[in-house]
Amino acid sequence: MKAQSFSRAAGLTVAALALAMSLTGCSALSDLLQVGKTDAQRDDSGSVTESANIDIFALKVGDCMPQSEGGVISEADVVPCAEPHADEVYWEFTLPEGDFPSTEALSAAIEAECLPAFETFAGIAYDASALEVYTIEPTAETWAQADDRIVQCVVYDPAGDVTGSLKGAAR
């Protein structure tokens, strides 16, 4: 399990899934007003081409990140996946409109989305894999102030940094 915890303002850890961390983005309305203003250089396919510090809401599926400190975050460092990195966003989904979800509802949504997507991405079932997963998810504040409904599923190797994508790693 990954030791640090992240939140796009204060996510929930999902112990039943062994999802070790939650990521989220902005904790203040002034930060929320900056959403989408800072992104990385990307090629035509959307892949990061230069290391950059980006707004957390600019983070995309396929982005790779060096290991970061835990806590509430409003930005993330990204690197080209060909460079050594700790984490890779492999899937994202949108939570339904309505009230901010309970821990149980969020856990159920993550299990229903992240685990099947992990098997498709990594080429092995999550339970049989040496890789770990955590999520970047909305907080009550980003839910209310920024209409944040996105949950991002992030894969990492607890053995350390990797070079290249973990897509198809089958381990």
Side-chain angles (χ1 to χ4, degrees), residues 70-132:
V72 175
I73 59 172
S74 61
E75 53 194 30
D77 291 327
V78 293
V79 298
C81 291
E83 295 179 11
H85 60 276
D87 306 326
E88 181 176 354
V89 180
Y90 72 91
W91 183 251
E92 71 179 20
F93 64 96
T94 304
L95 294 166
E97 293 294 324
D99 293 335
F100 185 72
S102 67
T103 301
E104 295 79 18
L106 186 56
S107 294
I110 290 168
E111 183 174 356
E113 290 281 342
C114 293
L115 297 186
F118 178 89
E119 186 168 357
T120 301
F121 174 81
I124 189 171
Y126 178 73
D127 291 342
S129 178
L131 303 175
E132 294 288 337

Side-chain angles (χ1 to χ4, degrees), residues 131-143:
L131 303 175
E132 294 288 337
V133 170
Y134 68 90
T135 59
I136 302 170
E137 54 200 51
T139 65
E141 187 176 33
T142 62
W143 186 275

Side-chain angles (χ1 to χ4, degrees), residues 1-7 11-23 67-71 87 90 107 110 114-115 126 130-137 152-158:
M1 291 185 142
K2 199 156 193 169
Q4 69 264 23
S5 179
F6 295 92
S7 27
L12 305 170
T13 301
V14 184
L17 299 176
L19 297 176
M21 324 171 37
S22 43
L23 285 172
Q67 188 168 358
S68 303
E69 297 300 316
D87 306 326
Y90 72 91
S107 294
I110 290 168
C114 293
L115 297 186
Y126 178 73
L131 303 175
E132 294 288 337
V133 170
Y134 68 90
T135 59
I136 302 170
E137 54 200 51
Q152 292 174 313
C153 310
V154 181
V155 61
Y156 70 97
D157 187 339

